[in-house]
Amino acid sequence: MGSKTNIAWTDATDNPVFLLRDDGTNGGHWCQKTDPACANCYAESVNQNDFFQFASHLPYTGKPPENLHFDRAIVEAWARKTKPSMRFVCSMTDLFGEWVPRQWQFAVFDAALAAPLQIIQLLTKRPAIAAQAAREWCESRGQFLLPENVWLGVSVGDQQAANRFRGDAWLMWQFSQITWVSYEPAWGLVDWAGWEFINWLVIGGESGPNAREFDLAWGEAAIAWCRKHKIPPYMKQLGSKAVVQVHDCHQPPDNWAPFGSSGKGTNISEWPGGLRVREFPVQFSADYLAARGKAA
Ligand code: SF4
C-alpha cells in the first residue's frame, strides 16, 4: 500500500483522503487553493489529467465534494510494516484543510503512534489548523507532544507567506518534535529571521510549464541561514526556471542549463557546489538506512 514517488525527500506517498465513487472505488482527490503558492498545484493538474488512474477532474476550488472519504485501512497498515520508510501523507490534498474532520487528522496521528518505524511527513498551507489539531490530539491522548515520527511541516514560498505563517508555525512547534518548512516552490527571497525554532528546511524551485523563477541566490541564502543556526537544509531541486540574478551567487557549473537536463533541475551534478546539500532532521542509524528502501 502507498505509492512510489519521485519526491526526493520521501520514500512513498499515502493518500487516505479521496473521493469515494458509488461503486466503492477511489474517485480521485480534491483540495482548495488557499495561497499564491497553490497557483500551479501539481495535485490539481494530476486530477485534471486522464493519464492518471485516479483523476477526479475537479478543480481545486469551490465547495468540498460530498463524497470525500477517509480510508483508515491505509494508515492502519503502517503498523504492520516491518521495513522503515518515510511517508508523505496527503500529497494530493491538505490534511489540515478547513473541510477535513478532526477525527481524520487524529486517525493519522494515532496511526503514526502505533507505527514507530514509519516517519510520517505532513505538509500544510494551513498551519493554524495543524497547530490546533496537534494541540487537541495531545490533550485528548494525554501526550505532551505528537509522536516523534510525525514531522509536521508548513509551506512557505515567499516573504509574505513567511510573515503570515511564522506565528502559527511556532504554535505547531509547541506540539511537534520535528517542525519543518518546505520552501518549495520558492518564488521569492525570504528573510528567515525568527524561524530558528524549525528542525528542517527543504528548498526547491518550482517545476512545470508555468513555473515561476527561482533565483539560485535565494537557495544559497537559505542554506547559509541554516548553517548559521545548525538547521539541516535539504535542496530538493532547482525547478524548471532557475535563474542567477545576484552577481555574488556562485555560478552554476558549465553543464548547467536553464531548465536542467531533467526539466525540473533535479540532477544534482548540474547544481552549483554550494547547493548540493541533502540533510535530514534526524541522524538515521546505519541499521535504519540499511533497512529502508524506496519501496512503497
Ligand atoms: S494546499 Fe497544496 S494540494 Fe491544496 S491546492 Fe494548495 S498546493 Fe494544492
Side-chain angles (χ1 to χ4, degrees):
M1 213 176 282
S3 301
K4 291 186 179 177
T5 175
N6 291 326
I7 301 171
W9 46 258
T10 196
D11 296 322
T13 56
D14 287 311
N15 279 286
V17 178
F18 56 83
L19 280 65
L20 195 64
R21 291 198 179 105
D22 289 343
D23 64 3
T25 59
N26 186 328
H29 302 278
W30 184 82
C31 192
Q32 194 173 63
K33 294 184 176 180
T34 183
D35 185 273
C38 298
N40 302 319
C41 174
Y42 172 77
E44 184 189 40
S45 67
V46 168
N47 271 298
Q48 303 290 330
N49 193 327
D50 283 332
F51 175 79
F52 296 97
Q53 185 186 0
F54 297 136
S56 72
H57 299 286
L58 291 176
Y60 276 17
T61 54
K63 290 185 178 172
E66 291 181 355
N67 57 335
L68 275 174
H69 170 76
F70 184 83
D71 189 339
R72 285 180 180 272
I74 290 177
V75 298
E76 288 172 359
W78 298 337
R80 294 191 296 276
K81 291 186 180 296
T82 54
K83 192 173 179 177
S85 62
M86 295 189 284
R87 315 191 72 81
F88 178 24
V89 179
C90 289
S91 61
M92 298 295 289
T93 185
D94 190 334
L95 179 64
F96 301 104
E98 294 80 0
W99 62 93
V100 177
R102 187 70 89 232
Q103 61 264 35
W104 295 3
Q105 296 152 357
F106 278 20
V108 170
F109 296 149
D110 288 337
L113 183 64
L117 277 181
Q118 308 305 314
I119 291 172
I120 305 306
Q121 297 165 313
L122 305 174
L123 189 55
T124 186
K125 289 187 174 64
R126 295 163 172 91
I129 298 176
Q132 182 69 9
R135 186 177 71 80
E136 290 178 16
W137 183 86
C138 290
E139 288 173 356
S140 70
R141 303 300 192 262
Q143 304 276 341
F144 285 115
L145 298 167
L146 291 177
E148 64 180 355
N149 57 327
V150 173
W151 296 4
L152 195 56
V154 58
S155 297
V156 172
D158 70 345
Q159 188 64 52
Q160 281 195 345
N163 296 344
R164 202 166 67 247
F165 289 159
R166 188 176 60 183
D168 292 328
W170 186 77
L171 292 176
M172 278 174 24
W173 169 81
Q174 293 194 320
F175 300 98
S176 171
Q177 303 195 49
I178 301 284
T179 306
W180 61 291
V181 168
S182 174
Y183 181 33
E184 189 224 348
W187 51 291
L189 178 66
V190 172
D191 175 358
W192 294 101
W195 285 85
E196 293 80 5
F197 58 88
I198 63 170
N199 306 103
W200 194 32
L201 182 62
V202 172
I203 306 157
E206 193 165 36
S207 56
N210 300 315
R212 289 161 283 194
E213 287 188 346
F214 172 64
D215 192 325
L216 302 190
W218 304 342
E220 290 200 338
I223 291 168
W225 177 82
C226 284
R227 292 291 177 236
K228 185 174 174 193
H229 298 285
K230 301 190 182 343
I231 294 163
Y234 188 103
M235 189 73 209
K236 181 188 169 213
Q237 62 184 40
L238 302 191
S240 303
K241 232 178 231 178
V243 297
V244 180
Q245 290 180 345
V246 176
H247 293 306
D248 60 2
C249 175
H250 291 109
Q251 290 300 309
D254 290 343
N255 64 345
W256 183 76
F259 296 89
S261 59
S262 70
K264 297 180 178 179
T266 54
N267 189 342
I268 297 175
S269 71
E270 296 172 349
W271 300 358
L275 294 179
R276 296 178 198 171
V277 288
R278 285 192 160 174
E279 299 172 15
F280 286 97
V282 296
Q283 289 284 342
F284 292 117
S285 69
D287 286 349
Y288 185 97
L289 291 173
R292 197 187 127 220
K294 280 276 182 182

